[in-house]
Amino acid sequence: LDLYTFGQVISMASLRFGQHLITSSQIFFQSSLSFAFVNIRPVVLGHVLVAPKRLVKRFAGLTQEEITDLFINSQRVCATVERAYNATSCTIAIQDGHDAGQTVEHVHVHIVPRRSGDFKRYDDVYDKINECESSLDSWQRTARSEQDMNEEASHLAAMLKQ
């Protein structure tokens, strides 16, 4: 599968996200140190994740180079998601550790496109993220079909080219 990575086309393989395997068809971006993929159970349409390629459980375990790469690419993904979903803002969140709501022990950034009135209170998005994260009975849940996730990933990869 060929996808766009800010200036060049690359071939992609499946990557690990904690104990889970993210298929190449769900990944829409990767750099040498991080990757972005669609969310199996998004809070809103366009809710995606950006993670380092190296399995690191907590934010403090990232190298300076990984932090820089993760945040530069989160910024790029956020701009793309806003454009792709006609959003006016983004919520960008990291749940760092179990007591912060992290359910997959792999650092990851939530990128959630936002619009006026999408939640009753602006901060309700955090409750929704926690609700979705804590309701994970199994990674194999079928909240979204493979086809839906693959189509979204293809759409976002194409948007990165623009």
Side-chain angles (χ1 to χ4, degrees), residues 33-117:
L33 299 175
S34 62
F35 67 109
F37 55 102
V38 298
N39 196 333
I40 192 169
R41 193 173 198 115
V43 170
V44 298
L45 188 61
H47 173 191
V48 299
L49 303 171
V50 184
K53 286 184 175 177
R54 185 170 68 95
L55 176 57
V56 178
K57 292 181 181 184
R58 299 288 307 277
F59 187 75
L62 295 172
T63 66
Q64 288 184 352
E65 185 178 24
E66 287 170 323
I67 292 168
T68 299
D69 186 80
L70 183 67
F71 278 97
I72 286 171
N73 292 315
S74 292
Q75 181 184 46
R76 291 173 173 165
V77 167
C78 182
T80 299
V81 166
E82 278 189 27
R83 207 171 60 251
Y85 293 98
N86 297 314
T88 55
S89 302
C90 272
T91 293
I92 301 165
I94 296 175
Q95 296 167 294
D96 190 33
H98 176 77
D99 292 331
Q102 181 185 33
T103 57
V104 176
E105 291 185 339
H106 188 153
V107 173
H108 56 286
V109 179
H110 292 263
I111 306 288
V112 183
R114 302 292 303 275
R115 300 170 193 76
S116 179

Coordinates of all heavy atoms in Angstrom, one line a residue, residues 33-117:
L33 N 9.6 8.1 12.7 CA 9.5 7.8 14.1 C 8.0 7.7 14.6 O 7.8 7.3 15.7 CB 10.2 8.9 14.9 CG 11.7 9.1 14.7 CD1 12.2 10.3 15.5 CD2 12.4 7.8 15.1
S34 N 7.1 8.2 13.8 CA 5.7 8.1 14.2 C 4.7 7.7 13.1 O 5.1 7.7 11.9 CB 5.3 9.5 14.8 OG 5.3 10.5 13.9
F35 N 3.5 7.4 13.5 CA 2.5 7.1 12.5 C 1.1 7.6 12.9 O 0.9 7.8 14.1 CB 2.5 5.6 12.1 CG 2.0 4.7 13.3 CD1 0.8 4.0 13.2 CD2 2.9 4.4 14.3 CE1 0.4 3.2 14.2 CE2 2.5 3.6 15.4 CZ 1.2 2.9 15.3
A36 N 0.2 7.8 12.0 CA -1.2 8.2 12.3 C -2.1 7.2 11.7 O -1.9 6.7 10.6 CB -1.4 9.6 11.7
F37 N -3.2 6.9 12.4 CA -4.1 5.9 12.0 C -5.5 6.3 12.4 O -5.7 7.1 13.4 CB -3.7 4.5 12.5 CG -3.5 4.4 14.0 CD1 -4.5 3.8 14.7 CD2 -2.4 4.8 14.6 CE1 -4.3 3.7 16.1 CE2 -2.2 4.7 15.9 CZ -3.2 4.1 16.7
V38 N -6.5 5.7 11.8 CA -7.9 6.0 12.1 C -8.3 5.2 13.4 O -7.6 4.2 13.7 CB -8.9 5.6 10.9 CG1 -8.5 6.5 9.7 CG2 -8.8 4.2 10.5
N39 N -9.3 5.7 14.0 CA -9.7 5.2 15.3 C -10.9 4.2 15.1 O -11.8 4.5 14.4 CB -10.2 6.3 16.2 CG -10.2 6.0 17.6 OD1 -10.5 4.8 18.0 ND2 -10.1 7.0 18.5
I40 N -10.8 3.0 15.7 CA -11.8 2.0 15.5 C -13.1 2.4 16.2 O -14.2 2.1 15.8 CB -11.4 0.6 16.1 CG1 -12.3 -0.5 15.7 CG2 -11.2 0.7 17.6 CD1 -11.8 -1.9 16.0
R41 N -13.0 3.3 17.2 CA -14.2 3.7 17.9 C -14.1 5.2 18.2 O -13.8 5.7 19.3 CB -14.4 3.0 19.2 CG -15.7 3.2 19.8 CD -15.9 2.2 21.0 NE -17.3 2.2 21.3 CZ -18.1 1.1 21.2 NH1 -17.6 0.0 20.8 NH2 -19.4 1.1 21.4
P42 N -14.3 6.1 17.2 CA -14.0 7.5 17.3 C -15.1 8.2 18.2 O -16.3 7.8 18.2 CB -14.1 8.0 15.9 CG -15.0 7.1 15.2 CD -14.7 5.7 15.8
V43 N -14.7 9.2 18.8 CA -15.6 10.1 19.6 C -16.5 10.9 18.6 O -17.7 11.0 18.8 CB -14.9 11.0 20.5 CG1 -15.8 12.1 21.1 CG2 -14.1 10.3 21.6
V44 N -15.9 11.4 17.6 CA -16.6 12.1 16.5 C -15.9 11.6 15.2 O -14.8 11.1 15.2 CB -16.6 13.6 16.6 CG1 -17.3 14.1 17.8 CG2 -15.2 14.2 16.5
L45 N -16.6 11.8 14.1 CA -16.0 11.4 12.8 C -14.7 12.2 12.6 O -14.7 13.4 12.8 CB -17.0 11.7 11.7 CG -16.6 11.2 10.3 CD1 -16.4 9.7 10.3 CD2 -17.6 11.7 9.2
G46 N -13.7 11.6 12.3 CA -12.4 12.2 12.1 C -11.4 12.1 13.3 O -10.3 12.5 13.2
H47 N -11.9 11.5 14.4 CA -11.1 11.3 15.6 C -10.0 10.3 15.2 O -10.3 9.1 15.0 CB -11.9 10.8 16.7 CG -11.2 10.4 18.0 ND1 -11.9 9.8 19.0 CD2 -9.9 10.6 18.4 CE1 -11.0 9.5 20.0 NE2 -9.8 10.0 19.6
V48 N -8.8 10.7 15.2 CA -7.6 9.8 14.8 C -6.6 9.8 15.9 O -6.7 10.6 16.9 CB -7.0 10.3 13.4 CG1 -8.1 10.2 12.3 CG2 -6.4 11.7 13.6
L49 N -5.6 8.9 15.7 CA -4.5 8.8 16.7 C -3.2 8.9 16.0 O -3.0 8.5 14.9 CB -4.6 7.4 17.4 CG -5.9 7.1 18.1 CD1 -6.0 5.7 18.6 CD2 -6.2 8.1 19.3
V50 N -2.2 9.5 16.7 CA -0.8 9.6 16.3 C 0.0 9.0 17.4 O -0.1 9.3 18.6 CB -0.4 11.1 16.0 CG1 1.0 11.1 15.5 CG2 -1.4 11.8 15.1
A51 N 0.9 8.1 17.0 CA 1.7 7.4 18.0 C 3.2 7.2 17.5 O 3.4 7.2 16.3 CB 1.1 6.0 18.3
P52 N 4.1 7.1 18.4 CA 5.5 6.8 18.0 C 5.5 5.4 17.5 O 4.8 4.5 18.0 CB 6.3 7.0 19.3 CG 5.3 6.8 20.4 CD 4.0 7.3 19.9
K53 N 6.4 5.1 16.6 CA 6.6 3.8 16.1 C 7.1 2.8 17.1 O 6.8 1.7 17.2 CB 7.4 3.7 14.8 CG 6.7 4.3 13.6 CD 7.6 4.1 12.4 CE 6.9 4.5 11.1 NZ 7.8 4.5 10.0
R54 N 8.0 3.4 17.9 CA 8.6 2.6 19.0 C 7.6 2.4 20.1 O 7.0 3.4 20.5 CB 9.9 3.3 19.5 CG 10.7 2.5 20.6 CD 12.0 3.1 20.9 NE 11.9 4.4 21.5 CZ 12.0 4.6 22.8 NH1 12.2 3.5 23.7 NH2 11.9 5.8 23.4
L55 N 7.5 1.3 20.6 CA 6.5 1.0 21.7 C 7.1 1.6 23.0 O 8.0 1.2 23.6 CB 6.3 -0.5 21.9 CG 5.3 -0.9 23.1 CD1 4.0 -0.2 23.0 CD2 5.2 -2.4 23.2
V56 N 6.4 2.7 23.4 CA 6.8 3.4 24.6 C 5.5 3.6 25.4 O 4.6 4.2 24.9 CB 7.4 4.8 24.3 CG1 7.8 5.6 25.6 CG2 8.6 4.7 23.4
K57 N 5.5 3.1 26.7 CA 4.3 3.2 27.5 C 3.9 4.6 28.0 O 2.7 4.9 28.0 CB 4.4 2.2 28.7 CG 4.5 0.8 28.3 CD 4.6 -0.1 29.5 CE 4.6 -1.6 29.1 NZ 4.6 -2.5 30.3
R58 N 4.9 5.4 28.4 CA 4.6 6.7 29.0 C 5.4 7.8 28.3 O 6.5 7.6 27.7 CB 5.0 6.6 30.5 CG 4.3 5.6 31.3 CD 2.8 6.0 31.6 NE 2.6 7.3 32.1 CZ 2.8 7.7 33.4 NH1 3.0 6.7 34.3 NH2 2.6 8.9 33.8
F59 N 4.8 9.0 28.3 CA 5.4 10.1 27.6 C 6.8 10.4 28.0 O 7.7 10.7 27.2 CB 4.5 11.3 27.9 CG 4.8 12.6 27.2 CD1 4.5 12.7 25.8 CD2 5.5 13.6 27.8 CE1 4.8 13.8 25.1 CE2 5.8 14.8 27.1 CZ 5.5 14.9 25.7
A60 N 7.1 10.2 29.3 CA 8.5 10.5 29.8 C 9.5 9.6 29.2 O 10.7 9.9 29.2 CB 8.5 10.4 31.4
G61 N 9.1 8.4 28.7 CA 10.0 7.5 28.0 C 10.4 7.8 26.6 O 11.2 7.1 26.0
L62 N 9.8 8.8 26.0 CA 10.1 9.2 24.7 C 11.4 10.0 24.6 O 11.8 10.8 25.6 CB 9.0 10.1 24.1 CG 7.7 9.5 23.9 CD1 6.6 10.6 23.4 CD2 7.7 8.4 22.8
T63 N 12.2 9.9 23.6 CA 13.4 10.7 23.4 C 13.0 12.1 22.9 O 11.8 12.3 22.4 CB 14.3 10.0 22.3 OG1 13.6 10.1 21.0 CG2 14.7 8.6 22.6
Q64 N 13.9 13.0 23.0 CA 13.6 14.4 22.5 C 13.2 14.3 21.0 O 12.3 15.0 20.5 CB 14.7 15.3 22.7 CG 14.9 15.7 24.2 CD 16.0 16.7 24.4 OE1 16.8 17.0 23.5 NE2 16.0 17.2 25.6
E65 N 13.9 13.5 20.2 CA 13.7 13.4 18.8 C 12.2 12.8 18.6 O 11.5 13.3 17.7 CB 14.7 12.5 18.1 CG 14.6 12.4 16.6 CD 15.7 11.5 16.0 OE1 16.3 10.7 16.7 OE2 16.0 11.7 14.8
E66 N 11.8 11.8 19.3 CA 10.5 11.3 19.2 C 9.4 12.3 19.6 O 8.4 12.4 18.9 CB 10.4 10.0 20.1 CG 11.1 8.8 19.5 CD 11.2 7.6 20.5 OE1 11.3 7.9 21.7 OE2 11.1 6.5 20.0
I67 N 9.7 13.0 20.6 CA 8.7 14.1 21.1 C 8.5 15.1 19.9 O 7.4 15.5 19.6 CB 9.1 14.7 22.4 CG1 9.0 13.8 23.5 CG2 8.3 16.0 22.7 CD1 9.7 14.3 24.8
T68 N 9.6 15.6 19.4 CA 9.6 16.6 18.3 C 8.8 16.0 17.1 O 7.9 16.7 16.6 CB 11.0 17.0 17.9 OG1 11.7 17.5 19.0 CG2 11.0 17.9 16.7
D69 N 9.1 14.8 16.7 CA 8.5 14.2 15.6 C 7.0 14.0 15.8 O 6.1 14.3 15.0 CB 9.2 12.8 15.3 CG 8.6 12.2 14.0 OD1 9.1 12.6 12.9 OD2 7.8 11.3 14.1
L70 N 6.7 13.5 17.0 CA 5.3 13.2 17.4 C 4.4 14.5 17.3 O 3.3 14.5 16.8 CB 5.2 12.6 18.8 CG 3.8 12.2 19.3 CD1 3.3 11.0 18.5 CD2 3.9 11.8 20.8
F71 N 5.0 15.6 17.9 CA 4.2 16.8 17.9 C 4.2 17.6 16.6 O 3.1 18.1 16.2 CB 4.7 17.7 19.0 CG 4.1 17.3 20.4 CD1 4.8 16.5 21.2 CD2 2.8 17.7 20.7 CE1 4.2 16.1 22.4 CE2 2.2 17.3 21.9 CZ 2.9 16.5 22.8
I72 N 5.2 17.5 15.8 CA 5.2 18.2 14.5 C 4.2 17.4 13.6 O 3.4 18.0 12.9 CB 6.6 18.1 13.8 CG1 7.5 19.2 14.5 CG2 6.5 18.4 12.3 CD1 9.0 19.1 14.1
N73 N 4.2 16.1 13.7 CA 3.2 15.3 12.9 C 1.8 15.4 13.4 O 0.9 15.4 12.6 CB 3.8 13.9 12.7 CG 5.0 14.0 11.8 OD1 5.0 14.6 10.8 ND2 6.0 13.3 12.2
S74 N 1.7 15.5 14.7 CA 0.3 15.7 15.3 C -0.3 17.1 14.8 O -1.4 17.2 14.4 CB 0.4 15.7 16.8 OG 0.7 14.4 17.3
Q75 N 0.6 18.1 14.7 CA 0.2 19.4 14.2 C -0.3 19.2 12.7 O -1.3 19.8 12.3 CB 1.3 20.4 14.3 CG 1.0 21.8 13.8 CD 2.2 22.7 13.8 OE1 3.3 22.3 13.4 NE2 2.0 23.9 14.4
R76 N 0.5 18.6 11.9 CA 0.1 18.4 10.5 C -1.1 17.5 10.3 O -2.0 17.9 9.5 CB 1.3 17.7 9.8 CG 2.5 18.5 9.6 CD 3.6 17.7 9.0 NE 4.8 18.6 8.8 CZ 6.0 18.2 8.5 NH1 6.3 16.9 8.5 NH2 7.0 19.0 8.3
V77 N -1.3 16.5 11.1 CA -2.5 15.6 11.1 C -3.7 16.5 11.5 O -4.8 16.4 10.9 CB -2.3 14.4 11.9 CG1 -3.6 13.6 12.1 CG2 -1.3 13.4 11.2
C78 N -3.5 17.3 12.5 CA -4.6 18.1 13.0 C -5.1 19.0 11.9 O -6.3 19.1 11.7 CB -4.2 18.9 14.3 SG -5.5 19.9 15.0
A79 N -4.2 19.7 11.2 CA -4.6 20.6 10.2 C -5.3 19.8 9.0 O -6.3 20.3 8.5 CB -3.4 21.3 9.6
T80 N -4.9 18.7 8.7 CA -5.5 17.8 7.7 C -6.9 17.4 8.1 O -7.8 17.5 7.3 CB -4.6 16.6 7.4 OG1 -3.3 17.1 6.9 CG2 -5.2 15.7 6.3
V81 N -7.0 17.0 9.3 CA -8.3 16.5 9.8 C -9.3 17.7 9.9 O -10.5 17.5 9.5 CB -8.2 15.8 11.2 CG1 -9.5 15.7 11.9 CG2 -7.4 14.5 11.1
E82 N -8.9 18.8 10.3 CA -9.8 20.0 10.3 C -10.3 20.3 8.9 O -11.5 20.5 8.7 CB -9.0 21.3 10.8 CG -9.0 21.3 12.3 CD -8.5 22.7 12.8 OE1 -8.6 23.7 12.1 OE2 -7.9 22.7 13.9
R83 N -9.4 20.2 7.9 CA -9.8 20.5 6.5 C -10.7 19.4 6.0 O -11.7 19.6 5.3 CB -8.5 20.6 5.7 CG -8.6 21.4 4.4 CD -7.3 21.7 3.7 NE -6.6 20.5 3.3 CZ -5.5 20.0 3.9 NH1 -4.9 20.6 4.9 NH2 -4.9 18.9 3.4
A84 N -10.3 18.1 6.3 CA -11.1 17.0 5.8 C -12.5 16.9 6.3 O -13.4 16.5 5.6 CB -10.4 15.7 6.1
Y85 N -12.7 17.4 7.5 CA -14.0 17.3 8.2 C -14.7 18.7 8.5 O -15.6 18.8 9.3 CB -13.9 16.5 9.5 CG -13.6 15.0 9.1 CD1 -12.2 14.6 9.2 CD2 -14.5 14.2 8.7 CE1 -11.9 13.3 8.9 CE2 -14.2 12.9 8.4 CZ -12.9 12.4 8.4 OH -12.6 11.2 8.1
N86 N -14.2 19.7 7.8 CA -14.7 21.0 7.9 C -14.9 21.4 9.4 O -15.9 22.0 9.8 CB -16.1 21.2 7.2 CG -16.0 20.9 5.7 OD1 -15.1 21.5 5.1 ND2 -16.8 20.1 5.2
A87 N -13.9 21.2 10.2 CA -13.8 21.5 11.6 C -13.3 22.9 11.7 O -12.5 23.4 10.9 CB -13.0 20.5 12.4
T88 N -13.6 23.5 12.9 CA -13.0 24.9 13.1 C -12.0 24.8 14.2 O -11.3 25.8 14.4 CB -14.2 25.8 13.6 OG1 -14.8 25.2 14.7 CG2 -15.2 26.0 12.5
S89 N -11.8 23.7 14.9 CA -10.9 23.5 16.0 C -10.5 22.0 16.1 O -11.2 21.2 15.5 CB -11.5 24.0 17.3 OG -11.8 25.4 17.2
C90 N -9.6 21.8 17.0 CA -9.2 20.4 17.3 C -9.0 20.3 18.8 O -8.4 21.2 19.4 CB -8.0 19.9 16.6 SG -8.3 19.2 15.0
T91 N -9.4 19.2 19.4 CA -8.9 18.8 20.8 C -7.8 17.9 20.6 O -7.9 16.9 19.8 CB -10.1 18.2 21.6 OG1 -11.1 19.1 21.8 CG2 -9.6 17.6 22.9
I92 N -6.7 18.2 21.2 CA -5.5 17.4 21.1 C -5.2 16.9 22.6 O -5.0 17.7 23.5 CB -4.3 18.2 20.6 CG1 -4.6 18.7 19.2 CG2 -3.0 17.3 20.6 CD1 -3.7 19.8 18.7
A93 N -5.2 15.5 22.7 CA -5.1 15.0 24.1 C -4.2 13.8 24.2 O -4.1 13.0 23.3 CB -6.5 14.6 24.6
I94 N -3.5 13.7 25.3 CA -2.7 12.5 25.6 C -3.1 12.1 27.0 O -3.1 12.9 28.0 CB -1.2 12.8 25.7 CG1 -0.7 13.3 24.3 CG2 -0.4 11.6 26.2 CD1 0.8 13.7 24.3
Q95 N -3.5 10.8 27.1 CA -3.8 10.2 28.4 C -2.5 9.4 28.8 O -2.2 8.4 28.3 CB -5.0 9.3 28.3 CG -6.3 10.1 28.0 CD -7.4 9.2 27.6 OE1 -7.3 8.6 26.6 NE2 -8.4 9.2 28.4
D96 N -1.8 10.0 29.8 CA -0.4 9.5 30.1 C -0.5 8.6 31.3 O -0.3 9.1 32.5 CB 0.6 10.6 30.2 CG 2.0 10.1 30.3 OD1 2.3 9.1 29.7 OD2 2.8 10.8 31.0
G97 N -0.7 7.3 31.2 CA -0.8 6.4 32.3 C -2.2 6.0 32.6 O -3.2 6.6 32.3
H98 N -2.3 4.9 33.3 CA -3.6 4.2 33.6 C -4.5 5.2 34.4 O -5.7 5.3 34.0 CB -3.4 3.0 34.5 CG -4.7 2.3 34.9 ND1 -5.5 1.6 34.0 CD2 -5.3 2.4 36.1 CE1 -6.5 1.2 34.7 NE2 -6.5 1.6 36.0
D99 N -4.0 5.9 35.4 CA -4.9 6.8 36.2 C -5.3 8.0 35.4 O -6.2 8.8 35.8 CB -4.2 7.2 37.5 CG -4.0 6.0 38.4 OD1 -4.9 5.1 38.3 OD2 -3.1 6.0 39.2
A100 N -4.7 8.3 34.2 CA -5.1 9.4 33.4 C -6.1 8.9 32.3 O -6.6 9.7 31.5 CB -3.9 10.0 32.7
G101 N -6.5 7.6 32.3 CA -7.4 7.0 31.4 C -6.8 6.3 30.2 O -7.5 5.8 29.3
Q102 N -5.5 6.1 30.2 CA -4.8 5.4 29.1 C -5.2 3.9 29.2 O -4.9 3.3 30.2 CB -3.3 5.6 29.2 CG -2.5 5.0 28.1 CD -1.0 5.1 28.3 OE1 -0.5 5.2 29.5 NE2 -0.3 5.2 27.2
T103 N -5.7 3.4 28.1 CA -6.1 2.0 28.1 C -5.1 1.1 27.2 O -5.0 -0.1 27.5 CB -7.5 1.8 27.6 OG1 -7.6 2.3 26.3 CG2 -8.5 2.4 28.5
V104 N -4.5 1.7 26.3 CA -3.4 1.1 25.5 C -2.1 1.6 26.0 O -1.8 2.8 25.9 CB -3.6 1.3 24.0 CG1 -2.5 0.6 23.2 CG2 -5.0 0.8 23.5
E105 N -1.2 0.7 26.4 CA 0.0 1.1 27.0 C 1.0 1.4 25.9 O 2.0 0.7 25.7 CB 0.6 0.1 28.0 CG -0.3 0.0 29.2 CD 0.3 -1.0 30.3 OE1 1.1 -1.9 29.9 OE2 0.0 -0.8 31.4
H106 N 0.8 2.5 25.2 CA 1.6 3.0 24.1 C 1.2 4.5 24.0 O 0.1 4.8 23.8 CB 1.3 2.2 22.8 CG 2.2 2.5 21.7 ND1 2.4 1.6 20.7 CD2 2.9 3.6 21.3 CE1 3.2 2.1 19.8 NE2 3.5 3.3 20.1
V107 N 2.2 5.3 24.1 CA 1.9 6.8 24.0 C 1.2 7.0 22.7 O 1.5 6.5 21.7 CB 3.3 7.6 24.0 CG1 3.0 9.1 23.7 CG2 4.0 7.4 25.3
H108 N 0.1 7.8 22.8 CA -0.6 8.2 21.6 C -1.3 9.6 21.8 O -1.7 9.9 23.0 CB -1.6 7.1 21.1 CG -2.6 6.7 22.1 ND1 -2.3 5.9 23.2 CD2 -3.9 6.9 22.2 CE1 -3.4 5.6 23.9 NE2 -4.4 6.3 23.4
V109 N -1.5 10.3 20.8 CA -2.1 11.6 20.8 C -3.5 11.4 20.1 O -3.6 11.0 19.0 CB -1.3 12.6 20.0 CG1 -2.0 14.0 20.0 CG2 0.1 12.8 20.6
H110 N -4.5 11.9 20.8 CA -5.9 11.9 20.2 C -6.0 13.2 19.5 O -5.7 14.3 20.1 CB -6.9 11.9 21.3 CG -7.0 10.6 22.1 ND1 -7.9 9.6 21.7 CD2 -6.3 10.1 23.1 CE1 -7.8 8.6 22.5 NE2 -6.8 8.8 23.4
I111 N -6.4 13.2 18.2 CA -6.7 14.4 17.5 C -8.2 14.3 17.2 O -8.7 13.4 16.5 CB -6.0 14.4 16.1 CG1 -4.5 14.2 16.3 CG2 -6.4 15.6 15.3 CD1 -3.8 15.4 16.9
V112 N -9.0 15.2 17.8 CA -10.5 15.2 17.7 C -10.9 16.5 17.0 O -10.8 17.6 17.6 CB -11.1 15.0 19.0 CG1 -12.6 14.9 18.9 CG2 -10.6 13.8 19.8
P113 N -11.4 16.4 15.7 CA -11.9 17.6 15.1 C -13.2 18.2 15.8 O -14.0 17.4 16.3 CB -12.3 17.2 13.7 CG -12.5 15.7 13.8 CD -11.7 15.2 14.9
R114 N -13.3 19.5 16.0 CA -14.3 20.1 16.7 C -15.0 21.2 15.9 O -14.5 21.8 15.0 CB -13.8 20.7 18.0 CG -13.0 19.8 18.9 CD -13.9 18.8 19.6 NE -15.0 19.4 20.3 CZ -14.9 19.8 21.6 NH1 -13.8 19.6 22.3 NH2 -15.9 20.3 22.2
R115 N -16.3 21.4 16.3 CA -17.2 22.4 15.7 C -18.0 23.0 16.8 O -18.3 22.4 17.8 CB -18.1 21.9 14.7 CG -17.6 21.2 13.5 CD -18.6 20.5 12.7 NE -17.8 19.7 11.8 CZ -17.2 18.6 12.1 NH1 -17.4 18.1 13.3 NH2 -16.5 17.9 11.3
S116 N -18.5 24.2 16.5 CA -19.3 24.9 17.5 C -20.6 24.0 17.8 O -21.2 23.5 16.8 CB -19.8 26.2 16.9 OG -20.6 26.9 17.8
G117 N -20.9 23.8 19.0 CA -22.1 23.0 19.4 C -22.0 21.5 19.3 O -23.0 20.8 19.5

